[in-house]
Amino acid sequence: MEAQIKTAAEKKLIGKHIDMSFIENKTFQLWSSFMPKRKDIKNTVDNNLYSLEVFSPNHFDNFDPAKTFQKWAAVEVENFDHIPSNMGTLVIPNGLYVVFIHYGPASEGHKTYHSIFAEWLPNSEYTVDDRPHFAVMDHKYKKDDPDSEEEIWIPIKNRD
């Protein structure tokens, strides 16, 4: 697995969110409610989809898979001039990220995340930062197709 360290520019997103945990995964429910309404979002930057997690500070200290977090389904927009009803806004602040490509079906994404958090991060000079985590799904994303690809962006900072 190849890691790339990148600085992300601020992104403005519009989408839907739901509170969930890793044990009580509501990702399918979230995306099922978002995709039919996606066309209502104006001023989109591109056709990419964003799957985001907003964790409470120190969420990964003494990790508990039952701890809840906010899960978002969103698209990037130029501005917040038009926000469809039943949707919200989220700003991803600029900052340092480690980026990985997950190759294969979305259902096997947990293997990539496990490698990041159990292997790459502990052996790196970085630790997780308290900013949104996100995946970018562009034209290469094909859900459960073995040839699918998506970018995984994990916020990082130098270890103290």
Side-chain angles (χ1 to χ4, degrees):
M1 228 173 40
E2 184 182 330
Q4 294 182 14
I5 306 299
K6 295 185 178 183
T7 300
E10 179 183 276
K11 296 181 184 304
K12 293 177 177 65
L13 303 172
I14 292 179
K16 291 186 150 205
H17 64 86
I18 194 167
D19 288 339
M20 62 177 251
S21 69
F22 288 110
I23 289 177
E24 190 182 0
N25 190 329
K26 299 177 183 175
T27 302
F28 180 79
Q29 176 186 341
L30 173 64
W31 281 96
S32 295
S33 72
F34 173 72
M35 288 306 286
K37 302 289 186 187
R38 174 184 171 204
K39 65 186 179 312
D40 297 340
I41 302 171
K42 309 298 180 207
N43 298 326
T44 55
V45 171
D46 52 33
N47 291 321
N48 294 346
L49 297 171
Y50 286 76
S51 177
L52 302 98
E53 297 84 27
V54 179
F55 299 105
S56 59
N58 306 315
H59 182 91
F60 293 97
D61 298 349
N62 302 314
F63 180 70
D64 176 0
K67 194 185 296 184
T68 60
F69 58 90
Q70 233 180 36
K71 178 80 169 195
W72 283 77
V75 294
E76 186 177 4
V77 294
E78 294 173 14
N79 56 53
F80 295 138
D81 291 350
H82 175 75
I83 303 165
S85 60
N86 299 320
M87 293 213 192
T89 63
L90 179 68
V91 175
I92 300 175
N94 65 329
L96 197 62
Y97 281 82
V98 59
V99 182
F100 294 88
I101 305 294
H102 168 67
Y103 297 98
S107 59
E108 293 183 7
H110 63 93
K111 295 176 183 177
T112 299
Y113 282 97
H114 182 268
S115 295
I116 294 167
F117 286 97
E119 297 167 20
W120 189 87
L121 262 174
N123 294 306
S124 77
E125 61 194 71
Y126 302 100
T127 186
V128 176
D129 199 3
D130 291 326
R131 288 178 281 120
H133 298 220
F134 61 94
V136 180
M137 296 163 287
D138 64 12
H139 67 280
K140 296 177 192 167
Y141 178 76
K142 300 176 184 100
K143 197 171 178 183
D144 285 324
D145 188 308
D147 294 327
S148 183
E149 293 181 25
E150 65 185 284
E151 291 182 348
I152 310 290
W153 292 64
I154 307 294
I156 56 173
K157 62 184 178 183
N158 286 313
R159 293 188 189 276
D160 294 334

